[in-house]
Amino acid sequence: MDRRNFLKTAVFTVTGKTVAGNVVTGNTILGNTVSGTETSRTGMARGLRTYLESLAKPDGGYGWPEQEDSYPEVIFAVVGVYHLLRELPPQPEAVAEAILRNPYSGKFQQTRPHASSPYHLAYQQMQTLTWLGKSTDAPWSGIRNKKKVTESSAFLKAYELGGNPVMAEESVPILCREIRKESCEELRESYVPYFQTRQRKNGTYNTTLATDGSDGHVVNTYYGLLAEKTFGMVRNAEVVSWLQACQRENGGFTWSPEPELGNVQDLYYMWHAVKALRLVGAQPKNVLMARDWVKRLRNPDGGFSDRVGGKSSPLATFWAVDLFPELIQETQEPEKLEKSKKLEKPEIHVLSTVACGENKSENKTENERENNPETSENLAGLRAWTVQLEAPGCGSVLEAVELARTLKIHLWGAKNSNPEWIFVAQKKADELGVPVTFFASNEEYGFVVDVPGIGRFTHLNDPISPKRSISPWSRRQGTWKQFWEEKLAPMKMDGERMIWQICDHEVAGRLLLDESLLHDGYAMLSTFHFGCHNMAWATPYIMRYRHEIPMVALQDAHGEAWWWRNHLTRYKTLFLAEKPTWAGWLNALEKKRVVAVRKDRWTFDRLRMLGGSDAVRKRFMELRGDWEITENPEAVSLCVLSPEDTLEPCRPTEGRVLRIRVNREWIEGKMLDFASTPVTLECVRFNGVEKPFSCELRHVEDGWLKGRVEEESFYAPIPETCREVEAVFRVEDRTFTRKIEI
């Protein structure tokens, strides 16, 4: 049976009788009231099932609405809601198979872990399999030997200077042993000191050592209290009043009683706060207000959002039902309800979030952005353009311009480039009539933002500017407030913007992204990348922000354009505007008319598009011919060099020379290597006459590669009377020709 058609029959069948696809229950047909008024609780249960099945995917699992395939955290959330409804999903066997498809390794790999180990995936897989009544042996095999906090799990100091482990991830071995009903005693030696050194004087917990004097965080406090319960650690009674003080007057929760950053009410914080209170036998100051606040998160599609006015998300829906099961228990049939009363409700843990939503202003304090959904009508006059962020900004200018022409790159952000390179590249593009604009798109290394209690983070400073250079942050290291006042705010005034590259620490990431929504910080979220091929899959909490902050692809180039061409071909950022100007690009960011696209082996040769409203995505697909990702062009480059080409590698000291490059490209793990399909140079003709050529080894002078690689290039002097150059190449048993006019 088709999974979506399941809703028309099996989900709502109680007596076995249906009327036009709806179920008769007493005087009410679910979906059409026969007599009387449908109760809100009945509607909520029906809506929940409808929402859950709207997330069903052809591969048997559940995933985000805009995607064609499933994702483990979404499966976890959906099966969790079904479990709370005392039901199994329509196709439990298929779901059990889908939850084991690891996006980080194996035949279904789409990305890789980044700066910390995603142990939460093993927990989600094990908990989901347990709900489905299946064996947990497969995911358990990958986590059972982790018995020390710092064993292969410390946060890379290249991304967080303190190397502090992520507490939520470190708690996974505890949770997984609970699922398997195994003792945690073997963890005691390492885990108890770890949590003790991170317990604040008021009983709360946070990522950094407590000796730094910082306060706790509600999420880390939940995991600290879980450790206290598991290992019989001493508890500070003050933690109860601290947790209760996180509740606001309207019932919602913030991450601390007086947040200095990210002062928003979120179901993510409420879930952890309420669960933490239950661990110590307490409850929120006002339970009724908390429940009423959660009720306000319900949407017409049947799901729940994580904030008032936001879009529904799988995990937010799970949190809502898990916190207040009374919202749905009266919607169950009498026999199911009676049975459920006899069942002990299990304790459920959540480690990470895939919650998505669009904030609408709940009050002036949160100052959340309004949602302005696009329609097909107001997009009809816009065209699709390509921008590449942190693309190569060194090496051959001629090849960069030619790649811009071939790949239809309209805005080329040069990473950490010499301003002269951008100037010369633009001048050459204008001379050759190539419609591309070069600009500065930097990754400023060595800059650190301090988030008290959580860590000191790098890779948070990726500015773009219409200018040829960007002024670096003079302080280099400081608090978020200093970073915002001295870097982000002036950038906004100058027409510059900041890219969010990556932060594996969800607690820190949410604070800074929420603060960006409140005070205009990060203008875009990076997704597709080299190495960590899909950062949205590696750090799925950023999917919660996909309707509020545009998603972009990030080249993060390490080398010159010729070596990097495969990446420039396979993933890119698209924007809708009347013209591909800087003003059009900024307007597209503001209006959220931006998406990231990728198509290669990491997407299983399917087009994956991230970000954008339904209308925006539809418009891009209508314009697919303007930007569609195609096969890499033949890997050959012909350039005529003269002494005046000061930025060209191996330019002649006099006369003109033909430079031909083939095959070499930047391959992850191998730096420069031959392309997968070898191309050989057969002959070179000047004005139709074949001439000799030589092959030379060129010593790489690139700053990133630091001279470690030599590249083969072919050279031939050009006669003064020559007006046309022709080169013949062979690929396996096929030959092709490239011509250029001089």
Side-chain angles (χ1 to χ4, degrees):
M1 179 185 297
D2 181 83
R3 301 191 68 197
R4 299 187 185 280
N5 289 333
F6 178 86
L7 289 172
K8 299 178 180 179
T9 54
V11 170
F12 300 137
T13 300
V14 179
T15 63
K17 300 177 181 179
T18 62
V19 179
N22 296 306
V23 181
V24 179
T25 58
N27 294 325
T28 302
I29 300 177
L30 297 185
N32 294 297
T33 303
V34 176
S35 64
T37 303
E38 178 182 279
T39 67
S40 61
R41 295 182 179 229
T42 300
M44 189 172 294
R46 174 178 61 83
L48 279 170
R49 297 184 182 98
T50 303
Y51 172 68
L52 297 179
E53 288 309 302
S54 74
L55 304 173
K57 303 300 174 184
D59 63 11
Y62 296 87
W64 288 291
E66 306 90 350
Q67 302 303 315
E68 297 179 0
D69 51 354
S70 59
Y71 187 83
E73 284 195 350
V74 182
I75 299 174
F76 165 80
V78 169
V79 176
V81 176
Y82 271 119
H83 179 74
L84 292 165
L85 288 167
R86 310 296 172 182
E87 300 171 5
L88 290 175
Q91 296 186 22
E93 297 298 328
V95 175
E97 292 180 7
I99 191 63
L100 291 175
R101 293 173 190 152
N102 192 329
Y104 306 118
S105 62
K107 62 183 293 188
F108 297 102
Q109 181 181 4
Q110 298 183 51
T111 187
R112 66 162 172 78
H114 187 247
S116 65
S117 300
Y119 295 118
H120 71 275
L121 177 63
Y123 162 73
Q124 290 171 342
Q125 291 174 323
M126 290 179 64
Q127 181 64 84
T128 302
L129 291 169
T130 300
W131 286 330
L132 296 172
K134 305 295 182 181
S135 170
T136 61
D137 289 347
W140 174 241
S141 64
I143 197 72
R144 64 185 174 190
N145 293 326
K146 177 172 166 44
K147 301 174 184 179
K148 296 181 180 180
V149 174
T150 57
E151 183 180 358
S152 303
S153 63
F155 207 105
L156 289 181
K157 291 186 178 181
Y159 294 90
E160 197 279 288
L161 296 190
N164 293 285
V166 181
M167 191 169 290
E169 299 289 353
E170 295 306 319
S171 300
V172 167
I174 299 174
L175 301 176
C176 291
R177 283 167 173 76
E178 283 188 358
I179 291 174
R180 293 180 63 90
K181 296 181 171 55
E182 296 184 9
S183 171
C184 292
E185 193 60 29
E186 61 183 351
L187 304 178
R188 178 181 294 276
E189 181 179 356
S190 176
Y191 274 68
V192 170
Y194 165 71
F195 282 101
Q196 285 178 334
T197 57
R198 284 157 176 80
Q199 184 186 39
R200 275 54 184 162
K201 292 182 179 180
N202 58 5
T204 63
Y205 290 82
N206 220 334
T207 306
T208 61
L209 295 173
T211 52
D212 67 8
S214 61
D215 199 6
H217 189 288
V218 69
V219 174
N220 289 327
T221 297
Y222 164 72
Y223 291 109
L225 293 176
L226 177 66
E228 288 182 359
K229 179 181 178 181
T230 301
F231 300 111
M233 296 164 56
V234 177
R235 176 176 303 130
N236 186 329
E238 290 183 37
V239 71
V240 174
S241 59
W242 187 93
L243 287 167
Q244 290 175 332
C246 292
Q247 186 176 24
R248 307 273 72 88
E249 292 182 0
N250 65 355
F253 278 75
T254 51
W255 64 270
S256 76
E258 298 180 359
E260 295 184 5
L261 295 175
N263 185 11
V264 297
Q265 297 169 42
D266 195 294
L267 191 55
Y268 172 66
Y269 299 137
M270 175 183 279
W271 190 93
H272 287 90
V274 174
K275 289 292 183 177
L277 286 166
R278 290 178 183 175
L279 283 172
V280 296
Q283 61 183 8
K285 289 183 298 184
N286 195 323
V287 177
L288 293 179
M289 285 292 291
R291 187 173 62 183
D292 288 343
W293 188 83
V294 173
K295 286 182 179 179
R296 295 170 60 195
L297 304 180
R298 187 196 174 199
N299 286 320
D301 62 5
F304 287 78
S305 63
D306 53 2
R307 300 181 193 177
V308 175
K311 285 192 174 183
S312 297
S313 82
L315 202 48
T317 302
F318 170 74
W319 287 332
V321 178
D322 182 46
L323 283 177
F324 299 106
E326 60 268 23
L327 293 176
I328 62 166
Q329 62 183 196
E330 291 186 14
T331 68
Q332 301 176 60
E333 295 76 37
E335 61 269 26
K336 285 189 177 181
L337 183 59
E338 184 63 27
K339 181 179 179 180
S340 69
K341 290 180 180 179
K342 299 177 182 180
L343 297 176
E344 180 181 357
K345 183 176 179 298
E347 182 70 12
I348 301 169
H349 306 273
V350 175
L351 292 170
S352 187
T353 175
V354 297
C356 65
E358 290 185 12
N359 292 339
K360 289 185 178 179
S361 182
E362 180 183 354
N363 53 54
K364 292 183 179 180
T365 301
E366 293 194 5
N367 189 30
E368 296 172 347
R369 295 181 177 180
E370 293 288 337
N371 172 32
N372 297 308
E374 296 283 8
T375 63
S376 299
E377 290 74 19
N378 60 14
L379 297 176
L382 303 179
R383 294 182 57 188
W385 312 100
T386 294
V387 55
Q388 288 289 20
L389 301 165
E390 294 188 18
C394 62
S396 173
V397 167
L398 292 171
E399 288 166 346
V401 172
E402 177 59 19
L403 282 170
R405 183 192 66 79
T406 304
L407 302 178
K408 299 179 182 179
I409 300 173
H410 303 98
L411 296 179
W412 181 301
K415 176 183 172 182
N416 297 355
S417 180
N418 184 329
E420 182 186 2
W421 189 94
I422 297 178
F423 173 78
V424 174
Q426 190 63 62
K427 181 179 179 182
K428 185 61 66 174
D430 295 342
E431 290 175 355
L432 298 175
V434 179
V436 60
T437 298
F438 289 88
F439 64 94
S441 179
N442 293 349
E443 178 176 4
E444 298 187 355
Y445 298 111
F447 293 82
V448 181
V449 177
D450 184 12
V451 184
I454 300 174
R456 301 172 64 214
F457 297 91
T458 63
H459 291 72
L460 294 176
N461 191 359
D462 290 61
I464 65 173
S465 172
K467 306 172 186 177
R468 295 196 294 269
S469 63
I470 304 175
S471 299
W473 183 27
S474 58
R475 190 182 297 272
R476 298 191 66 86
Q477 297 189 28
T479 65
W480 171 264
K481 181 179 179 181
Q482 292 168 332
F483 182 57
W484 187 88
E485 291 178 346
E486 299 168 3
K487 181 69 174 179
L488 294 178
M491 284 182 60
K492 179 82 172 180
M493 297 294 292
D494 291 341
E496 301 172 334
R497 296 294 184 269
M498 184 69 74
I499 304 172
W500 173 271
Q501 185 178 149
I502 193 168
C503 179
D504 298 68
H505 202 301
E506 180 174 359
V507 168
R510 281 175 164 268
L511 290 184
L512 300 186
L513 291 177
D514 286 341
E515 190 66 17
S516 291
L517 294 178
L518 293 173
H519 299 112
D520 287 327
Y522 291 98
M524 62 205 90
L525 304 170
S526 66
T527 57
F528 302 127
H529 190 263
F530 78 88
C532 189
H533 307 285
N534 188 342
M535 290 177 170
W537 269 216
T539 57
Y541 73 89
I542 73 168
M543 290 295 284
R544 177 258 170 270
Y545 298 92
R546 72 188 187 279
H547 296 290
E548 296 173 313
I549 305 177
M551 289 185 149
V552 300
L554 190 70
Q555 291 293 315
D556 193 7
H558 289 28
E560 61 174 287
W562 177 247
W563 302 327
W564 202 258
R565 63 192 179 279
N566 190 50
H567 296 275
L568 290 168
T569 303
R570 297 305 189 181
Y571 51 96
K572 62 181 72 174
T573 302
L574 307 176
F575 66 100
L576 291 174
E578 294 181 358
K579 297 180 180 180
T581 61
W582 188 261
W585 161 236
L586 294 189
N587 181 260
L589 283 173
E590 181 180 353
K591 300 294 185 181
K592 305 176 184 65
R593 298 168 178 165
V594 178
V595 296
V597 292
R598 182 166 194 158
K599 183 182 178 183
D600 59 7
R601 72 185 186 92
W602 298 106
T603 65
F604 304 105
D605 289 320
R606 298 176 302 181
L607 176 67
R608 189 181 294 284
M609 182 180 292
L610 293 176
S613 66
D614 291 342
V616 167
R617 295 163 67 88
K618 179 181 178 182
R619 181 58 179 161
F620 278 119
M621 295 307 295
E622 292 172 348
L623 300 170
R624 191 167 181 173
D626 293 337
W627 57 265
E628 189 167 16
I629 295 175
T630 58
E631 289 298 317
N632 228 346
E634 301 290 3
V636 298
S637 167
L638 279 68
C639 292
V640 176
L641 307 182
S642 65
E644 290 74 26
D645 295 317
T646 57
L647 296 181
E648 293 300 320
C650 299
R651 72 185 189 279
T653 56
E654 60 181 18
R656 296 177 301 176
V657 66
L658 174 68
R659 183 187 67 205
I660 303 175
R661 304 172 81 185
V662 298
N663 295 36
R664 289 287 197 180
E665 65 181 40
W666 196 93
I667 298 177
E668 294 155 30
K670 297 181 180 180
M671 305 307 280
L672 290 187
D673 204 348
F674 285 104
S676 56
T677 304
V679 180
T680 58
L681 175 61
E682 295 284 295
C683 70
V684 178
R685 302 188 184 105
F686 297 106
N687 292 339
V689 179
E690 186 171 334
K691 295 289 185 179
F693 59 88
S694 63
C695 176
E696 298 179 13
L697 283 178
R698 168 192 162 206
H699 290 272
V700 173
E701 300 297 338
D702 180 78
W704 175 260
L705 300 176
K706 298 178 181 177
R708 288 179 291 173
V709 179
E710 294 179 328
E711 182 193 40
E712 293 177 345
S713 298
F714 299 94
Y715 296 88
I718 300 177
E720 291 185 5
T721 58
C722 181
R723 294 294 178 264
E724 181 183 84
V725 176
E726 181 182 44
V728 180
F729 301 89
R730 176 176 293 277
V731 179
E732 297 176 343
D733 60 350
R734 178 174 61 90
T735 60
F736 65 93
T737 302
R738 288 287 184 272
K739 294 181 180 180
I740 59 172
E741 293 183 355
I742 303 176

